[in-house]
Amino acid sequence: MYLNGQQLSLDHHFQDHTDAGIPVQVYYQNLHKDIGFIEIYNEHFVKVNHTFYNRKTHVFVSRPGY
C-alpha cells in the first residue's frame, strides 16, 4: 500500500500504480506539472496523460484516492 504523497522511484512502484490504477502527481523543480494515470513507463520515462516525463528530472508522487 502506498501513502498519499509517497515519492515513487523504483520500477515496481510504477508497475504497482499501473496495475492498480492509482494516479500519480508529477513535479518539476517543486512545481506541479500534471496528475493522472501511468500509461507506460521504462527506465528513462513515465508517460502520463499522453506526455512523457523524464525520471531523472521529474518527481512522481503517489495520489491514492484522488
Side-chain angles (χ1 to χ4, degrees):
M1 186 66 167
Y2 292 87
L3 300 174
N4 189 24
Q6 183 175 340
Q7 188 170 331
L8 310 177
S9 59
L10 303 175
D11 281 347
H12 76 269
H13 295 161
F14 296 106
Q15 188 63 51
D16 289 346
H17 281 68
T18 301
D19 292 344
I22 300 170
V24 297
Q25 194 162 5
V26 183
Y27 288 90
Y28 178 73
Q29 296 182 348
N30 294 325
L31 298 173
H32 173 261
K33 288 302 197 184
D34 205 351
I35 190 165
F37 298 96
I38 297 172
E39 298 169 33
I40 194 167
Y41 71 93
N42 64 28
E43 65 273 12
H44 303 291
F45 295 96
V46 177
K47 186 177 181 185
V48 176
N49 294 328
H50 310 293
T51 303
F52 287 95
Y53 295 100
N54 189 312
R55 285 176 61 171
K56 290 184 181 179
T57 60
H58 291 78
V59 174
F60 303 90
V61 175
S62 183
R63 289 295 182 219
Y66 178 80

